[in-house]
Amino acid sequence: MTAKATKTPPEPNEADLRRYSPEEVIAKRWLPYKSARVLKEKCYRREVIHHNDGGRITFTIADIRLENERTAVAPLSTKRAA
C-alpha cells in the first residue's frame, strides 16, 4: 500500500458542513445578488449552484466558492494588436 492510501481523510470543519439560507448569503454579500428573492428565483431556474434540502434552498461554502468561480470573468490581454 502506498502512504497516500493509508492516510485517513481530513476531518471537515464546522464551516464546511453548515448550510446557509439565501437570506444569510445576501446579508453577508457572498454572491452578487441584491435580494434573496432574485437568488431564490435563479435557484428555481437552476442557474445558481445550490442544495435543495427537503424543498428548501441552502448553500454550503463549497457551493458559494463554485458559483464565484463559475461567474468569474478573465481579464482581457493588455497587448495591442498591430
Side-chain angles (χ1 to χ4, degrees), residues 11-71:
E11 289 291 322
N13 61 18
E14 190 174 328
D16 291 338
L17 300 176
R18 189 174 186 303
R19 303 285 176 114
Y20 297 92
S21 70
E23 291 80 11
E24 290 175 306
V25 172
I26 295 300
K28 295 178 187 224
R29 298 181 182 205
W30 285 338
L31 292 176
Y33 302 104
K34 300 219 181 228
S35 73
R37 180 178 178 174
V38 171
L39 181 56
K40 286 180 185 179
E41 287 176 1
K42 291 205 173 268
C43 291
Y44 295 145
R45 287 184 254 145
R46 297 178 184 232
E47 296 175 2
V48 174
I49 299 169
H50 68 284
H51 285 82
N52 194 7
D53 298 329
R56 293 181 50 185
I57 295 170
T58 59
F59 299 89
T60 61
I61 294 295
D63 295 336
I64 294 164
R65 285 186 183 128
L66 284 172
E67 185 61 24
N68 282 323
E69 285 178 23
R70 187 185 70 81
T71 59

